[in-house]
Amino acid sequence: MEALREKPQVIADLTVPETVDHLASVIEALDEPPIIMGHSFGGTLTQLLLARGLGAAGVVIDSAPTEGVRVSPISQARSLLPALKSPANIRRAVGFTPKEFHYAFTNTLTAEESRAVWDRFHIPAPGRWIWEYGLFANFKPGHQETWVDYAADRAPLLFIAGERDHIMPPSVNRSNAKHYRKSPALTEYVELPGRDHWTCAAPGWEEVADRALEWARAHAVARPGSEDPSAGT
């Protein structure tokens, strides 16, 4: 994190296809298909990986949307304003101030608790990803880099949303999950009360982790000839 803060251009230049290709190469090298989990934009990446036929099961937590999800609550727009307030941020790595971070990510914590999280973990986000994906992708012709075939078969997928998440609110995750209604694959949605976007590290994170892993182990699809579909967790 210290290196990325010092030289954030690597974040600004990173593309979604490069990231997905890298993750896919790691997964394809495994002996068994793993359970894939992702938080925030990692949830988008997880959906893109499942769409490639990878993984035994997927869990997305407070997921950023794939293309076609048009729900954009006011809290989400306010959370993303640090990146959206200037088109020049498309070519930059965009950071959040402690106050902005508190609203967008850690709104169930006190200001002091949030500042400690910011000091330890905050790095800039790729401005291009915020500008070009999600709502903005829906107004461009043709399929964009976060497009998936919502009707296709794939591994089972669980959406976990946080009731008090500002940046990826439950309405966004519910809409994303409903887009898969024509898929023959299992898609489920659960909303956890009182959880914000920092849910994977905030107090009570164990419940989130247990919920994700128990569901994934129960629904993981084994590769033919495999005796344990969760062996690659």
Side-chain angles (χ1 to χ4, degrees):
M1 284 178 287
E2 288 75 11
L4 289 172
R5 288 170 179 170
E6 183 178 351
K7 296 181 179 180
Q9 193 60 37
V10 64
I11 297 173
D13 294 340
L14 190 64
T15 70
V16 168
E18 288 173 338
T19 306
V20 177
D21 286 345
H22 169 72
L23 295 172
S25 69
V26 173
I27 293 169
E28 290 167 345
L30 300 175
D31 293 332
E32 298 292 339
I35 290 168
I36 305 173
M37 298 187 187
H39 171 259
S40 196
F41 207 96
T44 304
L45 300 176
T46 296
Q47 294 181 67
L48 295 174
L49 291 166
L50 294 182
R52 291 193 182 192
L54 300 173
V59 179
V60 297
I61 303 168
D62 300 337
S63 182
T66 42
E67 184 182 345
V69 179
R70 298 179 181 272
V71 176
S72 186
I74 293 175
S75 70
Q76 184 181 59
R78 178 179 170 185
S79 296
L80 296 174
L81 187 60
L84 298 177
K85 61 187 177 183
S86 172
N89 286 335
I90 295 175
R91 296 180 295 276
R92 298 171 179 165
V94 182
F96 286 69
T97 67
K99 184 178 180 180
E100 293 165 343
F101 184 87
H102 189 201
Y103 178 83
F105 291 88
T106 54
N107 50 288
T108 64
L109 304 182
T110 66
E112 292 75 20
E113 291 168 336
S114 178
R115 179 57 190 254
V117 173
W118 186 90
D119 287 340
R120 177 66 180 88
F121 294 106
H122 174 265
I123 59 172
R128 180 170 176 262
W129 291 27
I130 298 172
W131 266 90
E132 295 195 0
Y133 309 126
L135 180 63
F136 292 97
N138 296 324
F139 296 99
K140 298 179 181 179
H143 297 321
Q144 306 304 308
E145 294 169 350
T146 58
W147 179 84
V148 298
D149 182 354
Y150 289 112
D153 199 4
R154 46 144 176 81
L157 173 62
L158 172 65
F159 284 80
I160 297 179
E163 176 201 13
R164 298 181 62 185
D165 190 337
H166 281 169
I167 194 168
M168 294 300 163
S171 58
V172 174
N173 280 254
R174 279 196 303 269
S175 178
N176 200 160
K178 288 179 180 178
H179 274 65
Y180 288 105
R181 60 188 177 275
K182 293 183 179 180
S183 172
L186 176 65
T187 306
E188 294 188 357
Y189 169 87
V190 64
E191 186 175 317
L192 300 183
R195 306 300 299 179
D196 62 14
H197 200 66
W198 190 242
T199 190
C200 294
W205 65 266
E206 296 89 348
E207 177 189 356
V208 183
D210 288 344
R211 193 74 167 266
L213 187 56
E214 288 169 7
W215 188 95
R217 285 185 176 275
H219 296 94
V221 178
R223 177 183 293 172
S226 172
E227 296 181 357
D228 182 4
S230 63
T233 304

